[in-house]
Amino acid sequence: MKTAVVIGGGITGLTAMRTLQKYKRKYELDLNLLLVERDDKLGGKIQTVKKDDFIMETGADSIVARHESVMPLIKDLDLENKMVYNATGISYIYTKNELHPIPQDSLFGIPMSTRALFSSTLVSRKGKMQALRDFVTTNEHYDKNSSVGSFLRRFLGKEIVENQIAPVLSGVYSGDLDKLTLASTLPYLLDYKNEYGSIIKGLAKNRAKFQSGGNKKFISFEGGMATLIDRLEEVLVEDVEILKGAVATKILKKAEKYELTFANHRAIEADYIILAAPHDAANTLLNDYKLEGEFNQFKNSSLISIYAGFEIPDEKLPADGTGFIVDGHESVMCDACTWTSRKWTHTSKKHQLLFRLFYKSSNPAFEQLKSLSKDALEQVALKDIEKSLGITGKPTVVEVTNWKELMPNYHLQHNHAVKTLEDQLTAKYPNLYLAGASYYGVGIGACIQNGIDTADKIVNQLI
């Protein structure tokens, strides 16, 4: 009998194990399955907190609906009747003490039509005219390893990128656009430019891909995102030994197998290992000085998330809005604010106000913020809510999550670093695979697909 071990009980590791489980059943494989998680709960950054009729997420609040890996997993887990979609509405950029709507016919602030371009209140007429050069310029030297910032400025102009696109994309990918490649963010923009001669025209031609289901682009669940994790655990326990609270200490290569040692559990022998843990944890477990240089190329950033729930009716918010991204920090310290009770109606049963504010390590004030107590952070959030929306009052619920150096931050050399590390591991550690957001994409959809793809590498050797 062969043994496959998945280290890491986040969404990538869980999906990888679910894939192994399904193939084991389908082909009646003589395969022992073991999932190892150092925390007492599965889910990694996906954790749901329920307090006083509010539902709050410590990590991602939703899944991008259009990702091809998402619906097959939801159907496989029989969770379709538990799904909820985001309420539609306007997203804003908060700049110079005012809320400006992001044009609705746009993707990450990139217009999908000239109408969307000229409807923007974030860009001057001169900036809009500069953006039209996208229709008459050709791409001669940009490829998928080029920075997304340089690419967009070249064809759409500096003003629209800085005022409208950068605040959105930087918020999604937690990084400087000049340090993020097209490959790690929006590779299809390059394809559109090359095929259609225009980014805007290419987005328009492919609009259906980005607007499936109308504006309902995101999925969560009635009981919160933990519903997905709980269901995965429920189906896995039938065939999988799940070790929670098991602190792995080292992976030792022994002939054709591996030995996994623990601080609080007996050692385990494995034929295959999927290491679905953050890159620094993977580096520690392998403890191979020849790989440290490669592992050290991967970077993380930090994020503080603060929920505040009030006994104030949701209708106090601006009409038809779901939140804002901050461009500059003239009067507020947050980087973004989601009007959670408006965007996700299931999170507030009594339709009372629930906000979620984000503070990133790229924020100039983060050095000051990261050392503050929970009470002090609450005061910062309340001041930001008052300044931006004019809403005051004492919250009935506050939930603070501090992700210290745990948010993957891709850079221009990221894909090269992944390939170099993969080559090293293939040569030195056969049948050991890296997986997860540190390497292959930060969105939940990307993590699901990565989990499936990684498990397939093992199954292909067994059938």
Side-chain angles (χ1 to χ4, degrees):
M1 174 180 281
K2 300 284 188 179
T3 296
V5 176
V6 174
I7 302 174
I11 187 61
T12 306
L14 289 168
T15 308
M17 187 54 82
R18 174 57 175 164
T19 304
L20 291 173
Q21 178 192 45
K22 289 171 67 178
Y23 279 119
K24 176 181 177 177
R25 293 176 176 178
K26 181 177 180 180
Y27 295 104
E28 298 181 348
L29 299 175
D30 191 15
L31 184 63
N32 182 40
L33 299 175
L34 183 68
L35 178 70
V36 175
E37 170 55 50
R38 67 177 296 128
D39 291 335
D40 293 329
K41 298 173 69 175
L42 300 179
K45 295 185 184 72
I46 300 177
Q47 303 289 341
T48 301
V49 178
K50 298 179 181 180
K51 291 182 181 177
D52 295 352
D53 295 316
F54 291 115
I55 295 177
M56 298 167 283
E57 309 290 351
T58 64
D61 66 6
S62 59
I63 313 171
V64 176
R66 68 172 180 270
H67 197 286
E68 61 186 10
S69 69
V70 172
M71 285 310 301
L73 178 63
I74 289 174
K75 290 177 180 178
D76 172 43
L77 298 174
D78 196 24
L79 287 176
E80 292 168 277
N81 64 335
K82 302 291 185 183
M83 288 194 314
V84 293
Y85 286 94
N86 62 294
T88 59
I90 297 169
S91 295
Y92 294 90
I93 291 177
Y94 184 77
T95 182
K96 297 179 181 178
N97 303 323
E98 291 183 343
L99 291 172
H100 291 263
I102 301 170
Q104 289 189 303
D105 191 23
S106 64
L107 180 73
F108 299 115
I110 306 168
M112 292 187 177
S113 63
T114 53
R115 181 177 181 180
L117 170 63
F118 281 92
S119 70
S120 175
T121 62
L122 289 156
V123 185
S124 69
R125 180 167 181 79
K126 180 180 178 181
K128 292 169 183 175
M129 297 304 293
Q130 288 176 339
L132 290 177
R133 69 188 183 195
D134 172 50
F135 291 97
V136 296
T137 53
T138 58
N139 175 35
E140 296 178 355
H141 69 275
Y142 288 93
D143 59 30
K144 290 186 179 179
N145 292 317
S146 303
S147 81
V148 66
S150 175
F151 174 80
L152 289 171
R153 277 194 296 272
R154 171 69 181 88
F155 299 114
L156 294 174
K158 179 179 178 181
E159 186 180 339
I160 191 171
V161 172
E162 292 188 355
N163 292 2
Q164 182 169 301
I165 300 171
V168 183
L169 274 182
S170 296
V172 173
Y173 291 98
S174 299
D176 183 337
L177 297 195
D178 290 320
K179 297 179 181 178
L180 295 169
T181 63
L182 283 160
S184 62
T185 53
L186 308 173
Y188 47 82
L189 294 184
L190 180 69
D191 297 334
Y192 293 164
K193 182 64 182 177
N194 292 339
E195 181 178 354
Y196 301 101
S198 161
I199 299 167
I200 296 172
K201 186 183 293 184
L203 287 171
K205 292 284 188 180
N206 292 273
R207 183 182 280 107
K209 293 181 181 179
F210 307 107
Q211 294 185 339
S212 56
N215 287 324
K216 295 185 176 182
K217 301 174 183 177
F218 304 98
I219 294 169
S220 185
F221 302 92
E222 292 173 356
M225 288 294 293
T227 301
L228 177 62
I229 304 302
D230 293 342
R231 179 61 178 151
L232 276 164
E233 181 174 5
E234 182 183 342
V235 298
L236 288 176
V237 293
E238 298 174 17
D239 303 282
V240 179
E241 182 181 359
I242 299 176
L243 296 180
K244 290 187 278 189
V247 182
T249 54
K250 195 169 184 179
I251 296 172
L252 299 169
K253 191 174 186 300
K254 293 196 170 183
E256 300 300 316
K257 295 179 180 288
Y258 294 94
E259 183 182 68
L260 179 60
T261 63
F262 294 85
N264 57 350
H265 192 274
R266 62 174 175 80
I268 294 170
E269 191 175 78
D271 298 278
Y272 306 95
I273 293 179
I274 294 177
L275 194 39
H279 70 86
D280 48 355
N283 187 20
T284 299
L285 287 172
L286 288 170
N287 193 29
D288 186 337
Y289 74 92
K290 292 183 179 179
L291 297 178
E292 284 186 2
E294 279 73 22
F295 274 115
N296 289 337
Q297 292 184 64
F298 299 103
K299 305 299 180 184
N300 282 345
S301 59
S302 301
L303 174 73
I304 297 172
S305 162
I306 305 175
Y307 274 102
F310 298 81
E311 287 186 350
I312 298 173
D314 177 83
E315 63 193 29
K316 292 290 185 180
L317 288 169
D320 198 29
T322 56
F324 63 80
I325 298 165
V326 176
D327 179 23
H329 298 276
E330 301 96 339
S331 64
V332 297
M333 297 180 74
C334 66
D335 293 281
C337 176
T338 299
W339 306 340
T340 303
S341 51
R342 176 71 61 80
K343 184 177 180 180
W344 297 104
T345 56
H346 71 286
T347 63
S348 179
K349 294 180 181 179
K350 296 180 180 178
H351 304 293
Q352 301 291 291
L353 279 177
L354 178 63
F355 296 106
R356 189 182 190 185
L357 297 95
F358 299 88
Y359 300 83
K360 301 188 299 182
S361 54
S362 58
N363 187 323
F366 194 82
E367 281 299 309
Q368 170 193 346
L369 293 171
K370 70 180 184 180
S371 60
L372 295 180
S373 66
K374 177 183 175 181
D375 289 343
L377 286 170
E378 176 183 336
Q379 292 307 310
V380 170
L382 292 180
K383 287 179 182 177
D384 283 351
I385 292 169
E386 180 178 0
K387 288 176 181 177
S388 59
L389 297 168
I391 291 172
T392 60
K394 184 174 177 59
T396 59
V397 168
V398 175
E399 184 69 24
V400 178
T401 305
N402 196 342
W403 294 110
K404 296 179 180 178
E405 295 296 322
L406 286 172
M407 310 301 293
N409 196 344
Y410 294 1
H411 51 82
L412 286 174
Q413 299 304 313
H414 178 83
N415 288 346
H416 177 72
V418 171
K419 180 64 168 61
T420 301
L421 185 56
E422 283 179 337
D423 291 343
Q424 294 261 23
L425 287 170
T426 299
K428 194 169 185 181
Y429 297 95
N431 299 325
L432 185 148
Y433 305 95
L434 295 176
S438 283
Y439 319 101
Y440 301 107
V442 296
I444 292 177
C447 289
I448 292 170
Q449 189 63 57
N450 180 222
I452 295 168
D453 293 342
T454 308
D456 283 346
K457 293 177 183 178
I458 294 175
V459 174
N460 288 338
Q461 298 183 53
L462 297 172
I463 59 175

